[in-house]
């Protein structure tokens, strides 16, 4: 079972370049998320999508855009990369309904360096 | 908005020592609680979860956690750690409300180093 798949795993960008991180899940989950992980700061939510066709901002949305292409796919775009966006990015998904919510399934992460 | 505090940022233990990692959250309503583990170079994996019922929950690899509602705490414990438990541990809270989306909030993590 693939679970949550992210691409690319590594990327180096120059300041001002753009790129898209791709994420796909095969668990038929309703909700999908993008987090960034920085040392000493835990995981911070960038954007989330509670269901197909909806997206909302998380804690740190500035400089990012997202697209929930269909139920399986949720992409994160950096329009004009900045060094402050150097981080490890994790995509996650969850069933997202009912009382047993919040259990997240994570992708393997994408390490992005912006020079 | 809810918040999650993990007071221990870095813990160093010898093998066979007992472990307790603290997690406190701020939210007055119903919560689902989680501990995730991230081994070096890997993604986060679920260690254990609490939805309802018995406040003492058991997870994988001998870990357990106790939900104490009155203290807003969900501390992680293991009686005897192994070198392979070296990892970063994250507490997470999903606040449940009436309708809408319930965000999952993570603590800042605790790095556990187990010395052989």
């Amino acid at each position: 079972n693939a679970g949550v798949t992210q691409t690319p795993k590594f990327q180096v960008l120059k300041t001002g370049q753009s790129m898209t991180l791709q994420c796909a899940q095969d668990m038929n989950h309703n909700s999908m998320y993008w987090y960034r992980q920085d040392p000493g700061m835990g995981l911070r939510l960038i954007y989330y999508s509670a269901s197909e066709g909806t997206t909302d901002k998380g804690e740190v949305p500035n400089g990012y855009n997202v697209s929930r292409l269909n139920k399986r796919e949720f992409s994160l775009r950096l329009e004009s990369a900045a060094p402050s966006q150097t981080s490890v990015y994790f995509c996650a998904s969850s069933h997202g309904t009912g009382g047993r919510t919040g259990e997240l399934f994570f992708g393997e992460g994408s390490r992005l360096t912006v020079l | 908005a809810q918040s999650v505090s993990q007071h221990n940022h870095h813990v160093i233990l010898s093998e066979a020592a007992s472990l307790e990692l603290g997690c406190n959250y701020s939210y007055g309503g119903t919560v689902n609680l989680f501990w995730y583990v991230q081994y070096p170079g890997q993604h986060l994996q679920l260690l254990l979860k609490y939805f309802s019922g018995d406040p003492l929950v058991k997870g994988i690899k001998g870990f357990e956690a106790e939900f104490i509602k009155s203290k807003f705490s969900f501390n992680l414990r293991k009686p005897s750690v192994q070198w392979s438990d070296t990892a970063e541990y994250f507490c997470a809270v999903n606040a449940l409300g009436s309708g809408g989306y319930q965000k999952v909030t993570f603590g800042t993590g605790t790095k556990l180093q187990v010395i052989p």
Side-chain angles (χ1 to χ4, degrees):
Chain A
N1 292 333
V4 179
T5 304
Q6 288 180 235
T7 57
K9 288 187 168 47
F10 300 95
Q11 184 73 49
V12 178
L13 293 176
K14 294 181 180 178
T15 298
Q17 288 185 316
S18 63
M19 75 158 298
T20 300
L21 299 177
Q22 306 286 356
C23 176
Q25 52 92 9
D26 62 1
M27 295 174 282
N28 200 35
H29 284 167
N30 293 312
S31 300
M32 297 185 73
Y33 315 77
W34 277 105
Y35 287 88
R36 60 177 288 173
Q37 183 180 27
D38 301 290
M41 304 189 76
L43 276 80
R44 293 181 292 168
L45 183 64
I46 305 171
Y47 270 93
Y48 62 92
S49 170
S51 61
E52 184 179 354
T54 68
T55 61
D56 284 289
K57 295 178 180 179
E59 302 170 65
V60 288
N62 291 345
Y64 305 95
N65 284 302
V66 290
S67 295
R68 183 76 183 265
L69 304 171
N70 48 54
K71 192 170 186 180
R72 290 187 64 249
E73 298 172 288
F74 188 40
S75 62
L76 178 72
R77 183 163 178 83
L78 286 70
E79 292 291 352
S80 179
S84 61
Q85 294 177 305
T86 293
S87 186
V88 181
Y89 292 84
F90 287 98
C91 178
S93 70
S94 74
H95 185 63
T97 59
R100 299 173 71 87
T101 57
E103 181 177 353
L104 301 179
F105 295 81
F106 286 88
E108 294 190 351
S110 299
R111 185 174 294 275
L112 175 66
T113 301
V114 183
L115 302 176
Chain B
Q2 68 266 29
S3 64
V4 180
S5 297
Q6 292 181 244
H7 305 295
N8 312 105
H9 299 295
H10 195 181
V11 173
I12 302 174
L13 294 174
S14 298
E15 275 193 315
S18 63
L19 170 72
E20 180 160 1
L21 300 182
C23 173
N24 289 90
Y25 66 92
S26 64
Y27 183 72
T30 303
V31 292
N32 291 337
L33 300 162
F34 308 86
W35 276 97
Y36 289 86
V37 59
Q38 185 178 30
Y39 298 104
Q42 297 188 25
H43 62 288
L44 277 80
Q45 306 168 46
L46 184 70
L47 197 56
L48 49 78
K49 58 191 175 187
Y50 171 81
F51 290 132
S52 63
D54 188 346
L56 183 63
V57 293
K58 296 190 184 299
I60 60 172
K61 303 186 179 185
F63 286 91
E64 65 178 32
E66 185 175 12
F67 171 46
I68 303 179
K69 189 174 181 180
S70 61
K71 294 185 178 181
F72 299 91
S73 69
F74 189 56
N75 292 353
L76 180 71
R77 300 194 292 248
K78 186 172 183 178
S80 176
V81 295
Q82 301 173 317
W83 178 79
S84 58
D85 294 326
T86 295
E88 191 160 14
Y89 294 81
F90 293 92
C91 181
V93 174
N94 177 211
L96 304 182
S98 55
Y101 168 72
Q102 294 94 26
K103 189 177 70 173
V104 179
T105 301
F106 284 82
T108 53
T110 298
K111 287 188 176 178
L112 172 65
Q113 183 179 357
V114 180
I115 301 171

